[in-house]
Structures are given as C-alpha cells and as structure tokens.
Amino acid sequence: MEEKTNLKYFSKNEKRKFFQSKYDYYRSFNRGMLLIAVAAYLSFFFTDCGIFGRFAYETLIPRCIVIVPFLIFRIMESKIKDYRIMVVAYYALIHSIIWLTDWSTYLLPDRQYAMSGMIIMNLIFACAGFAAPFWYSTVAHALMIADIAIANLFLHYNNLHMMFLFNVPCVIAICMMHYLMQNAYLEQYTTKNMLQKMALLDQLTEVDNRNRLREICRPSTSEFSFSSDMDVSVLLMDIDYFKQVNDELGHEAGDKVLVHLAKQLKTCVRAADYIIRWGGEEFLILMPGCGTERAVDIAEEIRKKTEGSDNGVCKITISVGVAAYKGGDYHEVIKNADEAMYQAKRNGRNQVVLYSEN
C-alpha cells in the first residue's frame, strides 16, 4: 500500500499521469483565481487615483497592460492541455502581475503600500499551487524573493529588510502547504484509480469485465473508438463441457480452471489486445489492428496451448469463434463471433471457426 501512496515509487510516466490529473482537477479553480487576480490588479488603479488625489494617468498603462498576458494565457489554455506548459504559463502570468505592480509602484508618489501588495501576491501563489507539481510551485514562488531584490534596484524600498523578513517565511510556509496538499491529492488519486480498476476487473481471473467495453467506445454510443481504417477482430471462446467440471469436481476446481485459462490468454495475446471475461466460462478478446487471418492464427495458438497445458484439475479444450468488426454497434460483431463459436461446437468442439455471412 505504501508504494501506491508515495511518488518516489512511481515511474516517470506514472508521475506524469498523476500531475496531469492534478492539473486537470484544479484547472477551472486556477482559471477563476487568475481572473480574480487580474480583476483585482486592474481595480488597484482606483487606489492609485486615491494616492495621487486625482486621475492617475501615470499608472493607467501599467495597470491596463495586464490584459495582454492574460489574453495570451487564455488562448494557450484553450489549445494546450499539457500541465508542464500550462503550469509555467500560470506562474508567468503571476510574475507578470508582480512586475507590472513594480512598474506602477515606481510611478507612485507614496510607496508605503508595497508590503500590502506582497501579501496579496502570496495569496495568489498559494492558490496557484493547487494545480502545480510541488517543485514547480517551490521554484516559482521562490522567484518572488528575486523579484523583490531586483525591484529594489529602482524602487529603493525604505523597509527592504522587512520585505524579506515577511516574504521568506510566507514562501516557506506556502511551499510546505503545497507539499501537504500534493500528498493529500495523491491519496485521492490512488483511491480513485483503485476503484476504477476494480470496476473494470473480473475479481476471479484478473482480466477485464464487460465494463471495459464502455471505455473503448465513443461517448454515448456502442461504436468502438478505433480508427475507421483499422482492422479489428473479435475472438469469443467457451470452455467445452465446463458444466461437467463444476458438477463432478466442484466450483472451486472450476474456478481454478478459469484462472489458468486467463493466464494462458495473457501469454498469447498482444499488449494492445483486451481480454474480457464475457460470461461464466466465456472469454472475449478484442484485437485492434489485427486482421481476421492473424486473429485465426492466434486463436489456434490459444486452442492448442489450452489443450496441451496442465491446469492442475483436468484436461480441457475450447471452442473459438472469430469475427471482423466493420464499424457500428459492437454487439453485432460479438453476435457474429458467438455464431461462429457455436458452429465450432456443432462441428465437434475444440476448434476455431471464422464467421462468414454465408
């Protein structure tokens, strides 16, 4: 259980999936947060007017120009889904607000409110870290200290040491909060994946159950989502005289036979194929990118291995029907494979039959 709730045990690809999931989960929240941040920044123009005691035309451009990076960000977000790019874009927008704030502050006659601006920016960084990997948020937030040091070169803060004394603890505290939040989301992520896996897995044989077909279909349809020009074959197989195994040797022995056959199937099919427990002793194999000629060869290999293997209970054979998926409702191809399988039964069992409309 520890390996499932600790990122150090994740492969590079698994980590990428986790961080993408985290980004997707908080994306709408971060979008709203950034919209609020930009709106708040624009509203500070009225604060500038209060400081000047008149219309603050001096800060009008640095206040309004924030709309440009925000629009760039929104265009990017509509086209790019990769968290590695968009999290950087999030933080680039936040830092652009800091730089524009420094520009506005430089033009103000009174700079005593700079500390208040830093409080607001720390809050924005705290919210932005929800969707970001911990190290992204740590580096991005730590750069705010560099922003302060660079801004001091032309703003000449009267209380620079207080700016650092206030912001460094805030950065550390918020980064630690992001670390704890990431671990909390990791627990949610692993639990969700476990439940999804259980929903798609046959508990006895540890191959897929029928629910897997919904994942392969286009939304709200019974049509497979494979490319229309891809060959797709379906194998449907049944253990011959399996009822006798249960009746004579017991259901526990029958379960052992099913588990053994499932293991055999895993050794015969390709990584891209789907093995589904279709019924009590029936298994369906969905083979994208595989024509019927190759599918028949694989089915024959499965049949021979099953006949010749020792499952620890008794000798078994299987009858297999093969059919080609030609688009449309997948129930039709399964019906065709079922007809071919029962033709194999009628022909004497322990054989492979390819479905033909004739």
Side-chain angles (χ1 to χ4, degrees), residues 225-239:
S225 58
F226 308 122
S227 173
S228 58
D229 59 354
M230 176 185 289
D231 290 330
V232 179
S233 297
V234 169
L235 278 58
L236 186 63
M237 63 193 66
D238 180 86
I239 300 175

Side-chain angles (χ1 to χ4, degrees), residues 87-135:
V87 167
V88 173
Y90 275 139
Y91 283 118
L93 177 56
I94 294 172
H95 279 282
S96 71
I97 294 175
I98 293 177
W99 301 329
L100 291 173
T101 300
D102 291 338
W103 182 7
S104 299
T105 303
Y106 178 76
L107 299 172
L108 292 176
D110 188 347
R111 300 170 184 172
Q112 63 175 316
Y113 304 105
M115 182 73 78
S116 301
M118 289 297 105
I119 295 175
I120 295 171
M121 295 314 303
N122 274 295
L123 290 174
I124 295 173
F125 273 109
C127 295
F130 281 44
F134 170 66
W135 287 112

Side-chain angles (χ1 to χ4, degrees), residues 23-34 77 90 131:
Y23 166 77
D24 291 339
Y25 185 79
Y26 286 109
R27 181 172 56 189
S28 60
F29 170 81
N30 270 37
R31 184 192 307 121
M33 179 275 301
L34 289 176
E77 190 183 42
Y90 275 139

